[in-house]
Amino acid sequence: MDNPFIKYNKSNDYVVGDLKKLSSSYIPDNFPHREKQIDSIARVLSSIVTGGLSSNLLLYGKSGSGKTSSVIYVTGMLKETLKGNINIIYINCEIYDSQYSILVYLTNAINSGDAPIPILGLPQDKIYFELVKRLNKSGRYTVIILDEIDKLIQKSGSDALYVLLKIMADSNTSLIGITNDASFVNALDARVQSRLNQESIIFPPYNAMELRDILNFRVSGIIKDGFITEASINLCAALGAQEHGDARKSIDLLRIAIDSALKDGKDCVTIDDVYLARDRFEMNVLKESIRTLPIHSKMVLLSACLTQETDADLSVTGEIYENYGNICTELGFQPLTMRRISDLLSDLEDTGLLTTNTRSLGRYGRMKFIRVMGSIQNVKGYTLEDPAFVNFQGSKIVRQSKLRTNFDAYVETYKNGDFDNK
């Protein structure tokens, strides 16, 4: 077989710059329509340049609104202004989502000349004091950027942020938090809110015209004039604007469309190329995930959908198993054991199709509640596309009256009856 890369290994006259600059993660040297926010960030951080202390900052905005890129750009300029005499530490709380992991990361990121500490095995209080020591020893001001800071609070609670704020009180350190949760501060403990002492900056969603300006700026000097039609740029901008003004999506769509047109040897990028790029970009991952499931996993997933439709509060393992058995009987399959179904439920949770939560019903014992992620109608529809379900008419759905009685008695103990929040 011939090397499949040979036909793609050719130069192209339409590319006049570095295509990597069309990556949504690329940090440009100009941010159209974010000048106001960038100046606001710089204004707060300017206290560091004059030898003072900077306020903590919280940046709010939808995904793709330029929060992370803007703050990395501004702190980069701050580092350049101070000739590197500052610690800028970026942490993504989707990855480092515990108090312990963040403390270890910060300790090893401080440029104090000390050897790295192990990522496991040390008591947390020892790491805390080691971090404070290194912060003061470095003699530099430190800015900690916590991207997706709301994920840290969701996973570890307010205590993680409280500890960081306590460290900042003992050293020349400021915090920049980035979140798309407008109610983030309201979820914090009062003691954390009083210590946070933050200034807030809002990043509004981009509109279609602003996204068009961003796309034109990104391709300028990279792609030869005339290779991308104006209609293609406008379509990418419009599609991004539909997704809450997501610049990341618009840029990725344009990049994929350009890449596809170049590989196909086309003379220009048209709106058809953009639509093809959208289809590739928005491939229905949910549908594909369900399509590739084994048949019994599909029947368990269908049972979870039907059970939750019948009574969303009581979608539990026992009901799902009974309904799964009814589906098997209707379709002519031999049901698996309860233990095997528990394994399949765990597998479905690992793939993100289900979520489980074990809760106490007081004197009625503990129960595992199961929820289908996303739209039940979509999940059910994708499952029923399997030819094995062609004759499925809708099995009898079990509803455990005893469990409902116990559940109602449990809920009655709470004034507002809001079980999910208890």
Side-chain angles (χ1 to χ4, degrees):
M1 180 178 178
D2 294 334
N3 189 327
F5 292 100
I6 292 177
K7 62 181 178 181
Y8 300 116
N9 186 22
K10 54 185 179 181
S11 60
N12 198 298
D13 294 335
Y14 297 110
V15 179
V16 295
D18 187 357
L19 286 174
K20 292 180 181 178
K21 293 182 179 180
L22 289 178
S23 167
S24 58
S25 60
Y26 173 74
I27 306 298
D29 56 6
N30 191 17
F31 291 81
H33 306 290
R34 283 295 175 257
E35 294 85 357
K36 179 180 177 181
Q37 286 76 18
I38 286 175
D39 184 66
S40 296
I41 297 172
R43 182 182 179 86
V44 173
L45 297 179
S46 64
S47 301
I48 301 172
V49 179
T50 57
L53 296 175
S54 169
S55 299
N56 295 320
L57 265 173
L58 284 181
L59 310 184
Y60 296 92
K62 296 287 186 181
S63 296
S65 59
K67 306 183 299 297
T68 301
S69 297
S70 296
V71 79
I72 290 176
Y73 171 76
V74 174
T75 53
M77 294 298 99
L78 175 63
K79 193 169 186 176
E80 182 180 306
T81 301
L82 295 175
K83 303 185 185 306
N85 193 30
I86 185 172
N87 297 312
I88 306 291
I89 305 174
Y90 171 87
I91 300 176
N92 190 317
C93 295
E94 285 273 19
I95 301 172
Y96 298 91
D97 59 359
S98 70
Q99 180 177 319
Y100 188 93
S101 64
I102 287 180
L103 290 177
V104 171
Y105 185 92
L106 287 172
T107 303
N108 288 330
I110 298 300
N111 185 13
S112 62
D114 295 286
I117 63 171
I119 60 175
L120 295 173
L122 291 178
Q124 189 163 291
D125 58 341
K126 185 172 183 179
I127 299 173
Y128 174 92
F129 290 115
E130 178 65 20
L131 173 56
V132 173
K133 184 193 81 173
R134 294 190 182 193
L135 283 169
N136 292 324
K137 181 180 178 181
S138 73
R140 298 182 177 91
Y141 200 99
T142 300
V143 176
I144 301 171
I145 304 169
L146 295 183
D147 205 350
E148 307 288 353
I149 189 174
D150 50 294
K151 304 299 181 185
L152 173 64
I153 304 305
Q154 290 173 13
K155 179 71 180 292
S156 303
S158 295
D159 287 346
L161 189 53
Y162 179 85
V163 170
L164 289 176
L165 294 173
K166 181 68 173 65
I167 290 172
M168 293 174 193
D170 297 332
S171 57
N172 290 331
T173 306
S174 297
L175 170 73
I176 300 178
I178 303 174
T179 179
N180 56 12
D181 183 0
S183 60
F184 167 73
V185 172
N186 297 332
L188 300 175
D189 291 347
R191 62 198 174 102
V192 177
Q193 292 185 28
S194 65
R195 282 180 174 270
L196 189 55
N197 237 352
Q198 84 285 358
E199 296 187 41
S200 300
I201 299 175
I202 307 298
F203 283 68
Y206 292 109
N207 59 39
M209 293 182 64
E210 290 171 340
L211 289 173
R212 183 192 61 189
D213 293 341
I214 292 171
L215 295 178
N216 281 321
F217 171 75
R218 284 297 187 100
V219 298
S220 177
I222 299 174
I223 301 296
K224 190 175 181 179
D225 291 344
F227 181 67
I228 308 171
T229 64
E230 184 178 350
S232 300
I233 294 282
N234 292 340
L235 179 57
C236 288
L239 292 172
Q242 290 175 1
E243 295 291 331
H244 310 293
D246 192 338
R248 190 180 294 115
K249 178 174 181 177
S250 290
I251 294 169
D252 282 336
L253 277 176
L254 185 59
R255 175 183 56 80
I256 295 171
I258 292 172
D259 186 60
S260 179
L262 290 172
K263 289 175 180 176
D264 292 340
K266 294 185 177 181
D267 294 329
C268 67
V269 177
T270 66
I271 59 173
D272 290 335
D273 296 310
V274 175
Y275 281 123
L276 287 173
R278 182 192 62 178
D279 292 341
R280 291 174 57 189
F281 188 75
E282 297 181 344
M283 182 187 71
N284 197 325
V285 177
L286 174 62
K287 184 176 181 178
E288 287 299 305
S289 298
I290 295 174
R291 186 184 66 81
T292 56
L293 289 174
I295 185 62
H296 281 278
S297 293
K298 289 181 180 178
M299 288 191 286
V300 172
L301 184 59
L302 178 60
S303 173
C305 290
L306 297 175
T307 305
Q308 187 169 326
E309 281 185 328
T310 303
D311 195 332
D313 287 330
L314 300 181
S315 184
V316 297
T317 306
E319 281 190 312
I320 289 174
Y321 181 72
E322 290 194 46
N323 293 326
Y324 155 78
N326 292 336
I327 294 171
C328 286
T329 300
E330 180 176 335
L331 298 179
F333 288 88
Q334 180 68 32
L336 301 177
T337 64
M338 179 66 165
R339 181 174 181 177
R340 180 62 183 135
I341 294 307
S342 294
D343 292 339
L344 293 182
L345 286 169
S346 295
D347 292 341
L348 291 171
E349 183 177 18
D350 289 341
T351 59
L353 295 171
L354 298 177
T355 181
T356 63
N357 189 7
T358 301
R359 297 173 180 173
S360 172
L361 295 183
R363 65 178 181 273
Y364 303 109
R366 297 178 66 81
M367 192 74 64
K368 179 180 286 187
F369 290 81
I370 299 168
R371 295 287 185 270
V372 176
M373 299 298 289
S375 167
I376 293 179
Q377 293 303 318
N378 287 343
V379 172
K380 185 169 67 172
Y382 296 146
T383 304
L384 292 174
E385 288 181 6
D386 191 306
F389 293 91
V390 67
N391 296 320
F392 180 74
Q393 298 297 319
S395 299
K396 180 182 178 181
I397 303 303
V398 176
R399 187 172 186 267
Q400 297 183 16
S401 58
K402 181 179 178 181
L403 177 59
R404 164 50 71 183
T405 301
N406 292 345
F407 179 80
D408 289 342
Y410 171 71
V411 171
E412 191 64 28
T413 63
Y414 293 92
K415 292 181 180 181
N416 61 6
D418 186 4
F419 180 80
D420 285 336
N421 292 328
K422 300 299 178 185

